[in-house]
Amino acid sequence: MERTYSLTRPELLGVIDGDKTWQGGDQEWFAEEWQRKAGCGPTTGAHLISYLAQTRHELQALYPSCSWEKADFVTLMEQVWGHITPGRHGVNTLHLFTKGMASFAGERGLDLPIRDLDIPRFKIARPTVDQCAAFLRSGLEQDCPVAWLNLHNGGVPGLDSWHWVTVVGLEEHSSGPILCTFLDGGKTVTADFRLWFQGTKAGGGLVYVPRA
């Protein structure tokens, strides 16, 4: 038995670049070298902001143009960078990400509800993997991409360590795998969240914006 969940309109995260359509943005599009190295958090934030502006009328002020053009999305990424600003160690906590999201929204006159789930380094302090799966489901069922901070990839193929990605789909199997489909580097990737949870040495966390 399997259960699947996804955004209602994942195509709204497509970024048009001439004849090519990217699956979300790419931190390599930033202008400066440090931005390209550390820009996964702001890029993920831009994904959430763009999608919410296009699907929730009350949040359109987050990104009024709702443009799919690459140049406009890069401008959004740069604006988000001003709020979700990587420090020496990047955006390595949920607090840095959620604080930046709230600041970006507040600058536009919006009070953004934000939910987060910390997955600590020490396993004894973590939520269960089922609680994590429920959090992922909740975000997608409320039609919001879920930001996933992964501080160590646990040896799972397709995942980079010390990295933010944007979850747009979930497939749960009764036999065990919890397959997350996410955007990274302008493409769609799938990885087993359960394997990551079992193997990660540094943890991470999850963030989404619930409906008001």
Side-chain angles (χ1 to χ4, degrees), residues 32-196:
E32 304 295 329
E33 182 179 357
W34 170 241
Q35 290 181 301
R36 293 192 293 272
K37 181 177 181 180
C40 56
T43 303
T44 297
H47 288 153
L48 268 65
I49 286 164
S50 173
Y51 191 82
L52 292 170
Q54 293 180 79
T55 58
R56 301 186 193 178
H57 178 74
E58 71 275 15
L59 297 180
Q60 189 173 347
L62 288 172
Y63 183 41
S65 74
C66 294
S67 173
W68 296 7
E69 295 293 328
K70 179 182 175 183
D72 295 324
F73 191 79
V74 171
T75 297
L76 175 62
M77 288 166 54
E78 294 280 0
Q79 292 171 342
V80 174
W81 175 281
H83 297 267
I84 303 176
T85 308
R88 181 179 177 185
H89 300 292
V91 181
N92 63 332
T93 67
L94 297 187
H95 176 70
L96 286 173
F97 186 89
T98 59
K99 179 183 176 182
M101 288 284 288
S103 172
F104 183 94
E107 191 175 78
R108 287 150 183 80
L110 296 170
D111 183 12
L112 199 64
I114 300 172
R115 286 196 62 198
D116 63 75
L117 182 67
D118 187 34
I119 303 172
R121 173 182 179 181
F122 297 106
K123 293 185 177 182
I124 194 171
R126 292 180 189 174
T128 66
V129 69
D130 289 337
Q131 288 172 322
C132 294
F135 189 92
L136 287 162
R137 286 196 304 270
S138 181
L140 294 172
E141 286 176 336
Q142 294 185 64
D143 201 24
C144 182
V146 181
W148 176 9
L149 171 61
N150 153 41
L151 294 172
H152 176 267
N153 72 358
V156 177
L159 280 175
D160 292 331
S161 295
W162 215 263
H163 196 44
W164 286 90
V165 297
T166 309
V167 178
V168 297
L170 180 69
E171 184 178 299
E172 292 185 271
H173 293 256
S174 57
S175 58
I178 302 172
L179 302 179
C180 284
T181 299
F182 56 88
L183 305 181
D184 187 21
K187 61 184 184 295
T188 301
V189 184
T190 299
D192 189 338
F193 184 91
R194 185 184 296 276
L195 286 181
W196 172 80

